[in-house]
Amino acid sequence: MMQLVLSGGAVMLSLAVMGVTLRRQGVALSACATVAALLVASCLEILDLMAMLEPDRLLEWKRWTVAVESLVPAAWLGYSLTHARRTGEAGMPRLQWFFLAVAVVFPVVALTNPPDALFYSPDFAMERVLFLTATGYYFYLGILLFVVISLVNLEGTYSNASLPARWRIKFDFVGVLSYLSLLVFYYSQGLLHRSLNMGLIPARSLILIVAAGMMLYSILARGNGVRIEVSRNMAYKSVVLVAVGLYLVAVGVMGEGLRYFGEGFPKAMAIAAAFCGGIALVVLLLSETLRRRLRVFIHKNFYRSKYDYQTQWLRFTDLLASARSGDGLKGAILAGYCEIFGMNGGTLFMRSGDDGSFSWAAGRDQAPSGAVFRPDDPPVRQMAEAGWVVSLRDEGLAGFPGADTFLKEYDVVFLIPLTSGEGLEGIVALGRPVSEGERYHYEDYDLMKTMARQAASALMNLRLSEELASARELEVMGRVSTFILHDLKNLVYTLSLTVDNARDHIADAEFQEDMLGTLGNTVNRMKLLIARLRGLPEKQSLCFEEVDLLRLAEESASLAGGRGSISVGGSPVSARVDREEIQKVVVNLVVNALEATEGKGPVAVEVGCGNAPYIRVNDAGCGIPDAFRAHLFSPFRTTKKKGLGIGLYQCRRIVEAHGGRIDVESTPGQGATFTVWL
Ligand code: ADP
């Protein structure tokens, strides 16, 4: 009677799960597999119930039972391979195909062997035990193996699931896991005692009720449709395999012991086992390393790593790489930490001030604050020396006198030191987890530290390049003033010579002529100097006007000086340009050309109109060395002793602002041609 209720309940609930699954998922592969597995389980219930109700017709009922049992391997294997799993592009691993193929052997065995070739039961009505023949032994051993494989597959799915996915499928999995574990227990009897104990059938029915109930609850209350990507090497670290193996060995030892030592054995064994267990427990409790290892082992095997390190690493690297400025980089560091660890906000503190204290540098959803971390605060010293992440929930706020209001206000939970080879670059404070109950453990700390190293080196690079830029600025300032001083000194020298000579020869007409020439020349050189210096600060906007390029070229050539050695030719072409700016360009090009010919020329300036108006400056000077070509337009690149290396850089910016370009042709040793297309 009891069996009738249990089996009836189990079958009804299984039918309900099948119905709901089909309704929710249609005839998807995974739905069909669920239905198939539950159908097999239900049929087993009905047939075994009938066998127990009618022990006289045992073999008749068992014929059907064996037929259904032969489907157990394929059905549960199919279930374990499709349930909540995503079949990736590569499809199922080959090994699983092999298992599926082998699973087909079972129905063949069942069809070709009558039930009494598998087992015999001399007194079933009384004993409910089926003694296995050799064929039966292997048949049930095979089924046992397949149930274990299915369990391993399910474990693979579960341990690859993310936390939210796990929440949704948990009941499903626990239900099926218990049912399959019971099957392992049931069939392992065959393995150990060469007999199946059908007295266990009520337990199986009960577990099926629980399992189907959990599946039903899972589908109805937690939704379905989770699809988990399963990594292929799961089977190698399966806890199920280890547990089942240990269980079989233990039961085997018990069985053998029973044979040799008789009835008294289990008691002696139990006492011995309890004693050993006690010792092991004491050892475990006393040993910090063992305890930690055990924790890591359990975490690694029962929980998939919380993070996929490679993905997070790439995500963080991308974030840092996409930053275009110092502030962008600081923002990216905070964004990375907040997103990856599920935090509502964060603040970055960086070293400032002479005492080496750390103060506000950037914030994310946390307002700028006056909090400071001093290098001699003991926890800060520890962070700098050991690179430890400080968990404020564990360690409290004491030790941060300059920052405790800030830490309290934003409910900061972690302080992460960003240490580079040169020491502590900064401190990241993370506050208020998005999900309040989230637990953080060693894996989070590992990832925080790894990210910290990367963030610190990015910050260090930023600091070094800022230092370099300001050093360069100083250097350029130095160069500019040397350059001006040098030119001024030359000019002053010429002028003072003229003044000295004038005292004696001012009345001389020839001297007067000469003096005028020298003065004119000096004025020109001063104008050129001014023109060059005027170019340094950049103009914010251009003033376009209609300009005759030929006239502009002539004016520029005369500004550049070096009379006689410069020829200007071509046709008058009019273009809308900023006269002053384009003049700067031509002066620059002509001066460069003159310098390339050591002031001797000849330099030819040609104006014309091809596809667009152009001004071409050609010289037969030293030409541009191939190695230097790539740097021609880069700022501060020069081959000249007294050069600044900003002329061509500025030319290109001006021409590009006009929507034009500069072409360069040059043969080293033979000269260069610069063409400005407008
Ligand atoms: P600077 O003249 O102060 O060096 P520029 O930016 O005007 O700065 O020029 C950069 C470099 O380009 C020069 O140092 C020189 O090596 C090269 N260069 C420019 N024009 C010519 C040219 N006409 N012939 C050969 N080299 C040139």
Side-chain angles (χ1 to χ4, degrees):
M1 184 58 199
M2 189 183 74
Q3 184 58 41
L4 188 68
V5 173
L6 286 177
S7 296
V11 172
M12 301 287 277
L13 267 174
S14 302
L15 282 175
V17 177
M18 289 184 239
V20 175
T21 308
L22 284 179
R23 252 189 83 105
R24 289 274 166 110
Q25 295 184 30
V27 282
L29 190 62
S30 63
C32 295
T34 309
V35 170
L38 286 175
L39 212 57
V40 168
S42 309
C43 288
L44 277 184
E45 286 304 312
I46 297 171
L47 291 168
D48 278 336
L49 172 70
M50 294 313 291
M52 281 193 277
L53 290 180
E54 299 184 317
D56 312 337
R57 297 173 60 198
L58 173 74
L59 283 186
E60 262 169 69
W61 288 117
K62 268 293 167 186
R63 180 185 302 274
W64 292 103
T65 314
V66 170
V68 175
E69 265 178 334
S70 73
L71 297 175
V72 165
W76 286 107
L77 186 63
Y79 176 88
S80 71
L81 286 176
T82 52
H83 185 64
R85 274 196 184 200
R86 173 175 305 164
T87 349
E89 271 165 31
M92 234 169 26
R94 256 187 240 147
L95 189 64
Q96 301 288 355
W97 281 114
F98 171 73
F99 289 148
L100 271 181
V102 175
V104 178
V105 174
F106 292 87
V108 176
V109 175
L111 289 179
T112 49
N113 286 290
D116 51 2
L118 298 180
F119 45 71
Y120 53 93
S121 180
D123 188 12
F124 185 70
M126 290 300 296
E127 231 189 349
R128 310 254 142 127
V129 173
L130 306 174
F131 295 98
L132 300 179
T133 63
T135 321
Y137 175 79
Y138 288 114
F139 182 74
Y140 287 109
L141 174 62
I143 294 185
L144 172 67
L145 277 179
F146 271 84
V147 175
V148 174
I149 294 172
S150 309
L151 274 170
V152 171
N153 285 340
L154 286 176
E155 182 193 3
T157 312
Y158 192 72
S159 56
N160 274 276
S162 64
L163 289 179
R166 239 177 231 188
W167 179 82
R168 288 173 66 180
I169 58 175
K170 185 160 75 192
F171 282 92
D172 236 2
F173 271 71
V174 173
V176 174
L177 210 77
S178 353
Y179 181 70
L180 291 185
S181 307
L182 193 105
L183 289 190
V184 170
F185 180 56
Y186 177 60
Y187 291 120
S188 65
Q189 304 289 309
L191 192 62
L192 296 163
H193 308 300
R194 292 213 163 223
S195 62
L196 288 181
N197 181 1
M198 283 194 55
L200 287 172
I201 296 297
R204 192 185 67 189
S205 316
L206 191 70
I207 295 283
L208 185 55
I209 291 180
V210 175
M214 283 179 150
M215 288 166 94
L216 204 59
Y217 169 78
S218 182
I219 301 173
L220 293 180
R222 303 215 156 167
N224 221 313
V226 178
R227 287 282 168 268
I228 295 150
E229 191 93 48
V230 178
S231 80
R232 280 159 179 250
N233 48 14
M234 234 342 271
Y236 301 119
K237 53 168 193 179
S238 168
V239 178
V240 166
L241 271 188
V242 176
V244 172
L246 285 181
Y247 160 73
L248 291 180
V249 170
V251 177
V253 169
M254 294 276 257
E256 287 301 301
L258 210 63
R259 264 234 303 266
Y260 288 114
F261 302 106
E263 284 301 312
F265 176 71
K267 211 171 162 197
M269 260 306 274
I271 291 170
F275 186 69
C276 292
I279 292 178
L281 200 68
V282 171
V283 172
L284 275 183
L285 288 179
L286 290 182
S287 156
E288 181 57 36
T289 20
L290 258 179
R291 212 164 53 182
R292 181 157 177 85
R293 278 205 193 137
L294 189 72
R295 212 172 68 199
V296 173
F297 173 81
I298 290 175
H299 235 286
K300 283 204 170 135
N301 288 287
F302 286 99
Y303 302 95
R304 184 175 83 119
S305 347
K306 192 166 163 190
Y307 306 103
D308 181 338
Y309 274 87
Q310 200 182 352
T311 323
Q312 303 297 1
W313 174 265
L314 287 178
R315 203 167 120 195
F316 192 57
T317 315
D318 281 350
L319 255 178
L320 297 193
S322 63
R324 289 277 161 268
S325 62
D327 286 342
L329 177 67
K330 292 169 197 163
I333 292 174
L334 289 176
Y337 271 110
C338 289
E339 279 167 24
I340 291 173
F341 298 102
M343 290 289 170
N344 277 317
T347 295
L348 174 65
F349 291 86
M350 286 183 66
R351 196 183 284 277
S352 68
D354 297 335
D355 59 346
S357 59
F358 293 83
S359 59
W360 191 93
R364 183 184 161 90
D365 294 329
Q366 291 182 355
S369 135
V372 282
F373 293 93
R374 296 197 187 85
D376 40 359
D377 292 346
V380 176
R381 206 178 316 137
Q382 237 176 25
M383 280 199 275
E385 282 162 13
W388 280 341
V389 172
V390 177
S391 162
L392 293 172
R393 288 204 173 148
D394 298 346
E395 291 167 38
L397 298 183
F400 302 102
D404 50 357
T405 0
F406 162 79
L407 297 176
K408 246 182 256 157
E409 182 183 353
Y410 289 108
D411 191 11
V412 171
V413 272
F414 290 119
L415 290 177
I416 303 158
L418 308 183
T419 33
S420 70
E422 297 192 3
L424 197 55
E425 293 283 337
I427 298 174
V428 170
L430 293 181
R432 211 165 293 146
V434 176
S435 97
E436 274 296 337
E438 178 157 358
R439 293 261 152 270
Y440 291 87
H441 54 85
Y442 66 95
E443 211 185 327
D444 298 274
Y445 296 131
D446 273 358
L447 187 57
M448 282 178 197
K449 274 196 260 178
T450 321
M451 285 167 57
R453 225 163 288 149
Q454 201 181 3
S457 81
L459 284 176
M460 186 178 76
N461 284 344
L462 176 73
R463 181 167 54 79
L464 291 182
S465 63
E466 273 170 1
E467 283 170 12
L468 194 71
S470 71
R472 249 204 199 148
E473 255 167 39
L474 281 180
E475 191 192 314
V476 169
M477 279 301 292
R479 249 202 243 172
V480 172
S481 35
T482 327
F483 164 84
I484 299 172
L485 268 181
H486 177 265
D487 275 25
L488 278 180
K489 249 199 271 174
N490 279 351
L491 295 172
V492 167
Y493 176 74
T494 319
L495 287 179
S496 66
L497 204 69
T498 314
V499 171
D500 283 349
N501 287 340
R503 289 213 178 89
D504 302 334
H505 308 288
I506 190 74
D508 187 343
E510 203 181 330
F511 174 79
Q512 286 172 357
E513 185 72 13
D514 226 30
M515 188 177 76
L516 276 182
T518 314
L519 286 180
N521 212 351
T522 311
V523 169
N524 265 341
R525 280 165 65 191
M526 286 181 121
K527 274 188 185 162
L528 178 65
L529 180 65
I530 292 168
R532 269 187 151 184
L533 290 177
R534 203 178 43 185
L536 280 178
E538 282 186 24
K539 218 167 155 178
Q540 294 304 315
S541 62
L542 298 172
C543 273
F544 286 101
E545 57 184 309
E546 209 65 42
V547 174
D548 177 4
L549 293 182
L550 188 59
R551 278 208 51 195
L552 184 139
E554 282 162 354
E555 284 164 17
S556 316
S558 71
L559 254 181
R563 242 177 280 164
S565 52
I566 308 172
S567 64
V568 181
S571 46
V573 177
S574 138
R576 271 188 76 76
V577 295
D578 184 316
R579 168 190 292 276
E580 233 178 89
E581 296 294 296
I582 293 298
Q583 194 174 56
K584 249 189 247 170
V585 173
V586 182
V587 168
N588 254 317
L589 294 181
V590 172
V591 169
N592 275 345
L594 280 173
E595 284 173 352
T597 56
E598 289 167 356
K600 292 198 258 332
V603 173
V605 183
E606 179 198 336
V607 177
C609 189
N611 295 332
Y614 67 85
I615 305 173
R616 182 168 292 150
V617 180
N618 168 273
D619 68 76
C622 59
I624 301 158
D626 285 336
F628 189 72
R629 273 200 88 119
H631 309 298
L632 203 56
F633 292 99
S634 310
F636 307 120
R637 292 301 200 125
T638 177
T639 55
K640 298 169 195 163
K641 246 195 190 155
K642 283 193 275 163
L644 282 178
I646 49 168
L648 284 183
Y649 166 72
Q650 200 182 27
C651 287
R652 194 178 64 174
R653 296 197 51 147
I654 293 172
V655 173
E656 282 177 353
H658 279 78
R661 66 166 206 276
I662 305 183
D663 284 348
V664 187
E665 285 161 51
S666 167
T667 318
Q670 292 183 18
T673 307
F674 286 75
T675 310
V676 177
W677 293 96
L678 290 164

